[in-house]
Amino acid sequence: MKHCSHCSALVSFIVPQGDNRHRYVCSSCEFIFYENPRIIAGCLPTFGDKVLLCKRAIEPRKGYWTLPAGFMENGETTQEAALRETYEEAYASPQLNELFSVCNLANYNQVHLFYLAKMTSAQYGSGPESLEVELFEEANIPWDDMAFGTVTQTLQRFFEDRKNGAMQLHHIDF
Ligand SMILES: [Zn+2]
């Protein structure tokens, strides 16, 4: 960034007093612009033994498959964000269960969280950010056309856990 969003003066990239990292600091009003990781929350919705995936209608990774997920908004919980995104992208309202994966993308300044979620009916559809939404058996998951590594890893671990008969929380670093 170049200019302060509060007073429009130039900002400089310096270590503020008492800090140990470089920050953008306004040269006039001295506002410090902290930049912190962003949280992406989503669901791993299942119906029977099938998993609900969305084909992305938007960049990045347009045309590739993903679990419904998106950036958390201010004022909501991670659970609310996961359910909101699932409705927006897949018009599905599953019953939210436990947290399944916490994916740290330290190089991208993001954390991706996926909750297990049970669909009580096969009601879903394509939201504006999805080209297609579909239920997949494990054998038909389009592994070569997955949008994000976090989704691939989360699904792989889900199927492993399911085979072993016990779901556990996974911490995955990228
Ligand atoms: Zn300023």
Side-chain angles (χ1 to χ4, degrees), residues 3-11 25-31 33:
H3 295 276
C4 175
S5 56
H6 297 281
C7 74
S8 305
L10 283 174
V11 295
V25 181
C26 177
S27 57
S28 175
C29 76
E30 296 184 345
F31 190 88
F33 293 89

Side-chain angles (χ1 to χ4, degrees), residues 44-53 117-122 134-141 143 155 158-159 162-163 167:
L44 194 168
T46 51
F47 182 66
D49 62 351
K50 296 178 178 173
V51 168
L52 192 72
L53 297 180
K118 208 164 233 140
M119 296 167 68
T120 50
S121 69
E134 226 179 286
L135 285 167
F136 287 91
E137 308 257 7
E138 180 180 0
N140 299 327
I141 298 280
W143 294 112
L155 283 172
F158 169 75
F159 291 122
R162 194 168 73 175
K163 202 181 304 164
M167 292 291 158

